[in-house]
Amino acid sequence: MASIRCRRDPCGFICLLLTYFSVFYADYVVIQYVLIPAYSGSIWCTLHGSVFNVILLLLLACHSKAVFSDPGMVPLPDTAIDFSDLRSQSNRMNERGCEGWTVCSRCETYRPPRAHHCRVCQRCIRRMDHHCPWINNCVGELNQKYFIQFLFYTGMASLYSLVLVVSAWVWRIRSEREEEAGDRDKEGEESPSKHLIVAHYIILLVESILFGVFVLVIFYDQLVSIITDETPIEQMKNKLMKDRANGTPPAHNTHTRKPKLALLREVFGRGSVLCWLLPLHSAPPTVGGITYSALPDYDV
């Protein structure tokens, strides 16, 4: 099946392992080298540990939903479709990729408006945003919510771990200054452990900054894509069309513009805004939803 072929992508498999390794490593360093030494015996140790692990739990839940959820694959027909008559009109049908039903020559099937073919998944994805190796799956109409939630909690975890490491480092520097007049031999015995702790701090700081900035950029790009109601693929196509028309805008829009809140609700669900933060299943959009046949109503 196409979903299994998608999971066999080597780059996606490596990114999945790197994601889980980074999450568990951050949890290990925060608990073992940040909270226990700096907040041992204090309620802040339990509080920070609980909050940080809840964030990581939500992060992993959203990531798993984004990985294993159907992004919106266009169903394949049960029987082969004869495109002989339709291909004679290919110039008219393929003039705009997001306008009306089109034919995918790779899947050899019809695809609905705003669906695009993914070369990695080897299937057409409804309202495809991009193929993300970090979830080893496409980001499409049905799992974009989980992908954005994953970005949100990754950014929160990065910021939280950054604050905890910096505060613990400041605490360690202050405690070392207070004990400067202490036994020099005892300090020399603890130096290897001190170097190890500092190494973990530096690695976690670099990891938090890199992942934090990375997901912040993608998170912003995802929100802009939702609010403008244009996927990156559609933005590129519209830009190419404008360039071909010498900068003049298209004569008509590819789809009807909707209010920004309505666009957000189509992705995150029509329930409470607080539910937008949880990886809960939400019904697909009622307008232009996913209930369609594999064969459009064409006059062929």
Side-chain angles (χ1 to χ4, degrees):
M1 301 296 291
S3 58
I4 299 178
R5 288 199 297 267
C6 174
R7 301 298 185 269
R8 293 178 181 175
D9 178 37
C11 179
F13 183 72
I14 293 174
C15 289
L16 284 181
L17 292 179
L18 183 59
T19 299
Y20 290 119
F21 173 79
S22 301
V23 169
F24 290 118
Y25 174 77
D27 192 34
Y28 169 73
V29 173
V30 167
I31 299 297
Q32 187 70 26
Y33 295 101
V34 175
L35 295 181
I36 293 180
Y39 301 98
S40 181
S42 171
I43 192 175
W44 291 107
C45 180
T46 304
L47 181 62
H48 285 306
S50 300
V51 173
F52 187 72
N53 277 273
V54 167
I55 294 176
L56 293 187
L57 183 63
L58 290 171
L59 184 157
L60 293 175
C62 297
H63 183 264
S64 299
K65 292 283 285 185
V67 171
F68 297 107
S69 295
D70 176 18
M73 289 187 178
V74 177
L76 296 175
D78 296 330
T79 58
I81 301 176
D82 182 14
F83 297 108
S84 56
D85 295 332
L86 189 60
R87 282 171 180 166
S88 63
Q89 307 173 14
S90 59
N91 292 333
R92 177 179 62 84
M93 293 184 56
N94 296 325
E95 183 179 358
R96 294 294 299 274
C98 300
E99 185 177 351
W101 286 72
T102 55
V103 174
C104 178
S105 58
R106 296 172 181 173
C107 292
E108 295 187 349
T109 185
Y110 296 99
R111 58 187 176 191
R114 310 187 71 181
H116 303 278
H117 186 85
C118 175
R119 291 177 293 179
V120 181
C121 296
Q122 301 180 15
R123 288 287 293 275
C124 286
I125 308 298
R126 188 172 174 86
R127 204 179 188 278
M128 175 181 171
D129 190 273
H130 68 288
H131 184 91
C132 179
W134 295 102
I135 63 173
N136 195 24
N137 198 1
C138 274
V139 178
E141 184 180 63
L142 301 185
N143 69 341
Q144 187 177 22
K145 167 186 175 179
Y146 307 127
F147 178 69
I148 296 177
Q149 290 172 339
F150 164 64
L151 297 177
F152 175 74
Y153 288 115
T154 302
M156 283 191 62
S158 299
L159 180 61
Y160 202 172
S161 61
L162 189 65
V163 172
L164 290 177
V165 170
V166 170
S167 61
W169 209 334
V170 171
W171 170 85
R172 180 169 293 276
I173 293 175
R174 288 180 178 177
S175 62
E176 287 178 355
R177 287 179 179 177
E178 292 175 358
E179 297 174 359
E180 247 179 12
D183 189 2
R184 298 284 181 179
D185 295 335
K186 185 178 179 181
E187 183 182 349
E189 291 175 0
E190 294 179 352
S191 57
S193 177
K194 175 184 175 182
H195 293 321
L196 178 63
I197 292 175
V198 171
H200 281 303
Y201 282 1
I202 294 176
I203 294 175
L204 185 56
L205 282 175
V206 173
E207 176 186 330
S208 300
I209 293 174
L210 289 179
F211 277 94
V213 173
F214 181 66
V215 299
L216 179 63
V217 173
I218 302 180
F219 182 79
Y220 172 79
D221 181 69
Q222 288 291 304
L223 291 183
V224 170
S225 174
I226 295 174
I227 293 175
T228 59
D229 200 15
E230 279 187 338
T231 65
I233 299 177
E234 293 169 350
Q235 292 174 5
M236 291 177 60
K237 285 191 173 184
N238 291 335
K239 186 176 182 302
L240 289 175
M241 292 180 60
K242 289 180 181 180
D243 292 341
R244 291 177 181 175
N246 297 325
T248 58
H252 55 280
N253 294 326
T254 57
H255 45 270
T256 305
R257 295 286 181 179
K258 305 173 185 177
K260 295 179 181 179
L261 183 59
L263 294 171
L264 290 172
R265 289 187 180 277
E266 283 191 358
V267 175
F268 294 101
R270 304 184 182 277
S272 172
V273 176
L274 294 178
C275 295
W276 293 5
L277 301 176
L278 301 176
L280 303 175
H281 175 74
S282 56
T286 55
V287 179
I290 61 169
T291 55
Y292 52 84
S293 64
L295 182 64
D297 188 16
Y298 271 136
D299 248 353
V300 294

